[in-house]
Amino acid sequence: MSQRVLTTESGAPVADNQNSASAGPGGPLLLQDQHLLEKLARFNRERIPERVVHARGSGAYGHFEVTDDVTGFTHADFLSGVGRRTEVFVRFSTVADSLGGADAVRDPRGFAVKFYTEQGNYDLVGNNTPVFFIKDPIKFPDFIHSQKRDPFTGRQEPDNVWDFWAHSPEATHQVTWLMGDRGIPASYRHMNGYGSHTYQWTNADGEAFFVKYHFKTDQGIRCLTSEQAAELAGTDPNSHQTDLLQAIERGVKPSWTLYVQVMPAAEAADYRFNPFDLTKVWPHRDHPLRRVGRLVLDRNPDNVFAEVEQAAFSPNNFVPGIGPSPDKMLQGRLFAYADAHRYRLGVNHTLLAVNAPRATVASNYGRDGLMAVNSQGRYAKNYEPNSYDGPVETGRPLAAPLPVTGHTGTHEAPLHTKDDDSVQAGELYRLMSAEERSRLVANIAGGLAQVTRDDVVRKNLAHFHAADPEYGRRVEAAVRALRGD
């Protein structure tokens, strides 16, 4: 079989791919060498802006299969019957570091699932923790700036990290998660995933429910100590990527069982704390886990750049039967994620293979823009309504409407009877074994002891004392010992 001919991007055959055209054997190169200029120009443009957060990621394809009937809570078509299968793409990631960072670091992990449903793509964008550091999106840029590399030193600075947390007592719950044993997963396969936010499900009768998603790993939880992670990050910075890739190539199919917690919408207003607060979990004794189905990964991407780096997840990609809640952080992400992808990938990023619907066809009036391939033919119109059989609205909302009241303005979330920034952090601490508590205290003290300002140290210690007296005393003693006080 004859080999294919190498061509330029315009399809012309390339005569010589080893030597540039020059003015004589030893002369300067020629501007007319179209093949050379095309290669160099394309090479200069092979990278796109990396994500500000979640830059370092891995991904895989698979399917989601419904195992339990949840039609009493949602009329989402892909959840409509036991045995129903939907193709998925999942992207895992670290949060704070850049694209070149190591995998085995103490950092939350992104856990994003794209369901290619017959009613359009549904994106569930979560983390491997059920809570987060803040509860209002207006603080998000400040929070990320505090965790990123310092503008002067060019590295992550404990002074910045702990100074922000010192002024944000709501972060204490997530800090306890992050500094605990689950702060460094051994691999992407050995960690849970959570929707983290509160979402809304609506059933066929129009009844609304608020839900939280829990993907429980079927491989079991496995984590690294700080010492193990430091060694692994130095010997194999790509450890989590390598593990996921090789497991699937070996025929191992990582899987997670999906559960949801369900709260009738009418209960939310009088729940003892704000159920839309991203810094809090719903206790399982109040709202037990209900099994929904199983997520299985069985195919690696052929091209990491095309399918992982260019994968675009947006929490506002809902399908009928699923919608948002008043969760402030979720509301902010509904804009921010889609806008990030328009910046990074262009307004037509939804036409890329990894982002395009697979079980249905997108039909709308979006035209033009960078890399447009959606001309839709000479007779198609790009306005609505029209008289030319173009796509029309359904008149059926995806989810139930959210009630609103009050005056416009900047408001703190309404207080419920037991809203508190410290209680759940203390409960999490008391759930830990003696060994887990010791490692947690050591991890916190190791970072906090590096902070140069005494007032910042005191403010952080106050958060741990408020969460649990023993927790506070042990962290304070460990910090004093490390600082030689």
Side-chain angles (χ1 to χ4, degrees), residues 5 47 102 126 141 144 185 196 203 277 365 381 391:
V5 172
R47 295 296 176 263
I144 295 300
S196 301
N203 66 18
D277 181 346
Y365 295 95
K381 306 302 177 184

Side-chain angles (χ1 to χ4, degrees), residues 187 189-192 216-223 255:
S187 79
R189 296 183 295 129
H190 295 93
M191 68 182 193
N192 291 342
K216 299 288 189 178
T217 175
D218 295 329
Q219 290 72 233
I221 296 287
R222 284 182 53 201
C223 303
S255 65

Side-chain angles (χ1 to χ4, degrees), residues 46 67-68 77 86 91 106 156 172 263 278 305 319 405 434 475:
E46 283 183 356
T67 57
D68 294 79
D77 182 66
T86 300
R91 185 178 187 270
R106 187 171 298 279
Q156 189 182 57
T172 308
M263 175 188 293
L278 184 56
F305 176 81
V319 292
T405 185
V475 172

Side-chain angles (χ1 to χ4, degrees), residues 82-95:
V82 173
R84 186 76 178 266
R85 279 195 176 190
T86 300
E87 185 181 1
V88 300
F89 180 77
V90 177
R91 185 178 187 270
F92 307 102
S93 56
T94 53
V95 175

